Structures are given as structure tokens and as C-alpha cells.
């Protein structure tokens, strides 16, 4: 069984500060794939808020300014933990890690080097769908 991941595996804390922070502050026994999304969203909010404060000061934090900062967030990767995405442009990442279940454990199979992603442009596929029907 193969499992593609959009984040660095939890076991690779030595190779990636982003995953190391997530595991440290969440707890080794409490990490989860869906938790990665929550963690990344928190960092995304933090980065946008910091951009607003830098540009407009502490009193500049408004809904409109926060949404503008998010639109300008064109390169986000949660400190290297997730594949780099263009949040403001609504473009998902090209990056992934492929793991395989071997002897009951998830094992990185591609790319081989720990702490890295395969970010080949051809990994990104656009799907058009009419979801109203």
C-alpha cells in the first residue's frame, strides 16, 4: 500500500524544523495527518497577521487587512513541513512524499532523501469540474 503525503513524515524531525516543531508541541503520541492541516493553518494565520502588523502596525489588524495579507501570501510551506503553495493565488503544491506500508510501518520510498519533497512541476494536475450539477 502506497500513501502520498503533502507533508514531511513525522519521523524526520532531525531533517526538518517544521516537522520537529509540530511533533514537539503536539506530542509524539498525538500527531496526526489532519493535525498537520490545523498546524499549517495556524502558521498561515500567524504569517498573515505578522505581515499586517509589519505593514500597518498593531492597530491595523482588521478582517479586510488580514484577508489582503492572505491574498499576498504567495509562497507558504509551514516552515518546510508542507509542500510550498501559493495561498493567495489558490494554487496547491506540486510537492509530495511517497510512503509505503512495510512490515506495519510507513516507510519513505520517494524521494529517498529524508526531509525533502519531490516538487516536479508535472506533479501538479488541474481538474475542472462542474460541482453545481
Amino acid at each position: 500500500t502506497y500513501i502520498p503525503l503533502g507533508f514531511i513524515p513525522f519521523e524526520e524531525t532531525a531533517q526538518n524544523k517544521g516537522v520537529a516543531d509540530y511533533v514537539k508541541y503536539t506530542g509524539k503520541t498525538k500527531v496526526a495527518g489532519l493535525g498537520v492541516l490545523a498546524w499549517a493553518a495556524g502558521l498561515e494565520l500567524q504569517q498573515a497577521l505578522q505581515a499586517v502588523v509589519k505593514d500597518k502596525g498593531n492597530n491595523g489588524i482588521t478582517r479586510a487587512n488580514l484577508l489582503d495579507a492572505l491574498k499576498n501570501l504567495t509562497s507558504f510551506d509551514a516552515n518546510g513541513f508542507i509542500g510550498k503553495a501559493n495561498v493567495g493565488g489558490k494554487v496547491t503544491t506540486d510537492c509530495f512524499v511517497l510512503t509505503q506500508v512495510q512490515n506495519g510501518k510507513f516507510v519513505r520510498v520517494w524521494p529517498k532523501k529524508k526531509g525533502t519533497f519531490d516538487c516536479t512541476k508535472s506533479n501538479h494536475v488541474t481538474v475542472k469540474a462542474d460541482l453545481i450539477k
Side-chain angles (χ1 to χ4, degrees), residues 22-23 32 39 42 53 62 64 68 70 72 86 90-91 116 118 128:
Y22 173 69
V23 171
W39 182 265
V53 170
T62 64
D68 284 343
L70 288 167
N72 292 323
N86 178 343
K90 299 180 183 176
V91 180
T116 65
D118 176 350
K128 292 185 179 183

Side-chain angles (χ1 to χ4, degrees), residues 21-97:
D21 287 344
Y22 173 69
V23 171
K24 177 181 176 183
Y25 295 111
T26 302
K28 207 172 199 175
T29 61
K30 295 180 182 173
V31 295
L34 290 176
V36 173
L37 300 176
W39 182 265
L43 292 176
E44 181 181 348
L45 176 63
Q46 178 187 39
Q47 192 171 331
L49 285 170
Q50 288 172 339
V52 170
V53 170
K54 181 178 179 185
D55 187 44
K56 308 215 182 262
N58 289 342
N59 294 325
I61 299 174
T62 64
R63 181 182 311 174
N65 288 341
L66 179 59
L67 291 173
D68 284 343
L70 288 167
K71 286 177 189 173
N72 292 323
L73 192 56
T74 58
S75 181
F76 177 74
D77 68 0
N79 298 324
F81 188 16
I82 63 172
K84 193 171 287 190
N86 178 343
V87 175
K90 299 180 183 176
V91 180
T92 58
T93 185
D94 301 328
C95 306
F96 78 102
V97 173

Side-chain angles (χ1 to χ4, degrees), residues 81-117:
F81 188 16
I82 63 172
K84 193 171 287 190
N86 178 343
V87 175
K90 299 180 183 176
V91 180
T92 58
T93 185
D94 301 328
C95 306
F96 78 102
V97 173
L98 186 63
T99 61
Q100 183 182 28
V101 177
Q102 297 176 4
N103 299 316
K105 294 183 178 183
F106 293 101
V107 177
R108 172 190 275 268
V109 293
W110 184 257
K112 294 280 185 193
K113 185 177 179 186
K114 289 182 176 187
T116 65
F117 289 105

